[in-house]
Amino acid sequence: MKQVAIITGITGQDGSYLAEDLLNDDVHVFGGIRRSASSPYNLGRISHLLEHPNLKLIYFDMMDACSIEKFVKSVYDSVHDVLQLSNYIQVYHLAAQSHVGDSFRIPTVTHQVNALGVIVLLESLRTHFKNNFRFYQASTSELFGNIKTKSKNPKTMTECTPFNPESPYAIAKMAAYLTVQNYRKAYDIHAVNGILFNHESPRRGMDFVTRKITNYVAQYALNRVPGNRPLQLGNLKSKRDWGDAREYVKAMRKMLIEAQGDTVGDYIVATGEAYSVRTFIQLAFQKIGVMIEWFGSGVNEKGRNATNGKDILVQVNKELFRPVDILYLVGNAEKIKKNLNWQPTVPLNHLISDMVDNDIELLKKGL
Ligand code: NAP
Ligand code: G4F
C-alpha cells in the first residue's frame, strides 16, 4: 500500500470522479458513506467501482461525532503500519449538505454537517494521525456572496476578495474555511481550502439548476415530458462561472500533493467566465435544435419554442426563488495556474452538450 486517501462524500458528484482518478493511480481509497432514510446507500455514482480491490467503504454520518471518530480510527487501524513509508494520508473532505436553496429550509442540519462536522473530523484525524495527514476542504465561491461594488462590470473574485456569506450554507462553509486556516497555522498541518466555483457534469445532482435543465431538455427531445408541463425555475438572471467537475477534482489533488512550502494554501478554481441561467437554458435547447423566445416579465416570464411558436418550455415559479440569491459569481484562477499549473479547458457549450447527451442516453435506457 503506497498512497492512502480518505474521501468523505464519495457518493457525490465530485467524490465519485475523484475516487476514479485516485484508484486509477493506484491509491488506496477509504470512502465514507452514509445511510439515507429512503434507501440504504446512495451508491449509483460509484457502482462501477464497488468491486475495486483498493476501495473500502465505511459507514459514517457527518451529523454523528461518534461515527466520524470510528470512521477515522478504522482507517488508522488499517494503515498505520504503512504510514512510516508514505508519511501522510490524503483526506478529501467533500461531504456536505451542498444545496444552497435547501440550506434556508434546514439551516441547523446544514451548520452541523458543513461547519461543526469539519471540526470533529479534524480533531479525530489529529488524535489518530497526529499531523501525518493532508486535508482538503471543499470550500466554495458562495463565501463571496453578493460583492459590494458600484461598477456595472464587477471584477472577478480572487483569493483576496472579501467574503460576504449570505446563506446558511455559505455561513457554515465560512466557519469551516476559517477552521481549516486555523489548523494550518496552529498545528502546522497541510490543510487547504479549495474555493471552487460551480462545476457540473453528467453526474450532477438533479436538483441543481444545470442538471434540472439538461434533464428537461432530454425529456423534450424524446417527447417524454410528463404532462407536457413547462420546466419550473426560479431566478433566471443570476450568473455563474460553470466548469467541468472532472477537471476540478484534478485541482483538488494538486493542492494536496503538489503544493509545498509557500504554495501550500487556499486556491480559487474557476473558468473566469460567467453566464446567466437564462443563457444556460438557451444553450441547452440549442443543442437539440430548439430556439427559445422569452415573453412576460418577472414571475410571469415564460420561454416558448420559437420554432413551432407554441410549446411553452420554461416557466418562472416564484416558489423557487431563494430568500437571498447570489447574482454574480466569477472567479480568477491565476494563482492555481501559476503555482500548481492547473487550468480549465472545457468550454460551457461542450459541457452542456455532454450533459444533454448523457441525459438522453439515460432516458433511452429507462434510467
Ligand atoms: P454532492 O453531489 O451533493 O455530494 C455531497 C456528498 O456529501 C454526498 O456523497 C452525500 O452523501 C454526502 N453527505 C451529505 N450529507 C452527509 C452527512 N450528513 N454525512 C455524510 N455524508 C454526507 O456535492 P458535490 O457537488 O459533489 O460537491 C462536493 C463538495 O464540494 C461539497 O462539500 C460541496 O458543498 C462543495 N462544493 C461544490 C461545488 C459544486 O459546484 N459542485 C462548488 C463548490 C463547493 P449521499 O450521497 O448519501 O447524499
Ligand atoms: O444550481 P444551483 O442550485 O447552484 P448554486 O446555488 O450556485 O450552488 C452550487 O454551487 C456552489 C458554488 O458556487 C456550491 F458551493 C454549492 O454546493 C452548489 O454546488 O443554483 C444556481 C443558480 C442560483 O442563482 C439559483 O437561484 O440557479 C438559480 N436557479 C433558478 N432556478 C435555480 C433554480 N437553482 C436550483 N437549484 N433550482 C432551480 O429551479
Side-chain angles (χ1 to χ4, degrees):
M1 200 186 287
K2 280 174 263 160
Q3 289 187 61
V4 176
I6 290 177
I7 305 177
T8 69
I10 192 170
T11 54
Q13 170 188 256
D14 293 4
S16 65
Y17 287 122
L18 179 63
E20 257 168 41
D21 277 8
L22 291 167
L23 290 169
N24 278 340
D25 289 345
D26 248 3
V27 179
H28 284 248
V29 175
F30 292 83
I33 55 169
R34 64 160 174 168
R35 193 180 196 290
S36 66
S38 56
S39 66
Y41 304 103
N42 177 22
L43 299 178
R45 293 187 183 98
I46 54 167
S47 56
H48 57 300
L49 302 175
L50 293 178
E51 301 301 320
H52 199 292
N54 291 349
L55 174 66
K56 184 163 184 212
L57 298 178
I58 299 173
Y59 173 63
F60 87 125
D61 196 304
M62 289 299 293
M63 290 287 287
D64 184 305
C66 301
S67 75
I68 297 173
E69 159 62 22
K70 279 190 205 147
F71 172 35
V72 172
K73 182 175 184 318
S74 77
V75 177
Y76 179 75
D77 288 344
S78 308
V79 305
H80 74 277
D81 51 333
V82 293
L83 257 186
Q84 284 98 333
L85 302 174
S86 61
N87 289 324
Y88 63 87
I89 66 157
Q90 304 163 42
V91 182
Y92 298 92
H93 177 46
L94 310 182
Q97 191 300 94
S98 70
H99 199 283
V100 178
D102 279 352
S103 77
F104 288 97
R105 288 178 276 275
I106 47 168
T108 56
V109 167
T110 303
H111 203 81
Q112 179 99 24
V113 172
N114 295 7
L116 300 178
V118 181
I119 303 175
V120 178
L121 179 58
L122 280 162
E123 281 302 303
S124 298
L125 286 163
R126 264 178 13 91
T127 300
H128 296 288
F129 289 93
K130 312 297 177 223
N131 63 356
N132 297 319
F133 67 95
R134 293 187 177 188
F135 189 85
Y136 173 87
Q137 160 65 14
S139 193
T140 166
S141 49
E142 280 289 312
L143 298 194
F144 294 113
N146 288 301
I147 57 170
K148 296 178 175 104
T149 173
K150 293 198 171 101
S151 163
K152 279 197 175 150
N153 298 307
K155 292 209 170 55
T156 59
M157 289 129 194
T158 72
E159 289 80 1
C160 300
T161 304
F163 294 135
N164 177 33
E166 294 193 85
S167 64
Y169 171 83
I171 291 165
K173 286 279 186 177
M174 177 92 231
Y177 175 94
L178 293 173
T179 300
V180 166
Q181 284 193 334
N182 183 239
Y183 275 64
R184 185 161 77 227
K185 190 166 180 189
Y187 306 119
D188 197 23
I189 291 167
H190 182 132
V192 300
N193 291 291
I195 308 167
L196 271 55
F197 284 64
N198 298 51
H199 45 280
E200 319 295 312
S201 75
R203 294 189 196 158
R204 186 55 141 154
M206 287 289 185
D207 51 353
F208 295 91
V209 78
T210 55
R211 187 79 194 281
K212 197 169 159 182
I213 295 166
T214 61
N215 184 49
Y216 184 92
V217 168
Q219 289 177 357
Y220 186 68
L222 299 177
N223 205 9
R224 288 203 209 161
V225 176
N228 290 325
R229 271 188 92 215
L231 173 63
Q232 309 284 310
L233 291 173
N235 184 3
L236 305 181
K237 290 185 186 151
S238 51
K239 292 188 173 172
R240 290 292 183 272
D241 178 334
W242 280 298
D244 188 314
R246 291 158 286 196
E247 297 195 303
Y248 283 36
V249 299
K250 297 190 191 315
M252 297 174 187
R253 289 183 72 188
K254 281 180 173 278
M255 285 177 235
L256 273 206
I257 305 302
E258 292 178 24
Q260 49 181 305
D262 286 351
T263 65
V264 176
D266 308 321
Y267 285 93
I268 280 183
V269 178
T271 71
E273 289 181 20
Y275 297 89
S276 66
V277 172
R278 187 191 307 279
T279 301
F280 193 104
I281 296 167
Q282 289 165 187
L283 291 172
F285 276 106
Q286 251 174 49
K287 159 79 185 164
I288 60 159
V290 171
M291 305 306 259
I292 299 285
E293 175 175 70
W294 300 98
F295 63 100
S297 66
V299 291
N300 296 317
E301 187 166 8
K302 294 189 172 81
R304 155 167 72 210
N305 181 337
T307 318
N308 69 18
K310 60 181 176 50
D311 297 351
I312 308 291
L313 300 178
V314 183
Q315 183 171 24
V316 169
N317 178 343
K318 64 177 184 333
E319 309 258 306
L320 296 170
F321 280 75
R322 296 171 183 178
V324 181
D325 203 359
I326 310 308
L327 300 181
Y328 176 83
L329 287 173
V330 60
N332 176 334
E334 275 308 303
K335 182 179 166 191
I336 192 165
K337 183 176 169 192
K338 180 167 158 272
N339 288 357
L340 302 176
N341 194 26
W342 179 91
Q343 59 181 326
T345 64
V346 181
L348 183 62
N349 59 346
H350 288 197
L351 175 60
I352 292 176
S353 175
D354 193 11
M355 290 174 72
V356 171
D357 283 342
N358 173 73
D359 279 326
I360 289 176
E361 279 317 300
L362 288 179
L363 284 172
K364 281 185 181 164
K365 287 183 196 151
L367 297 171

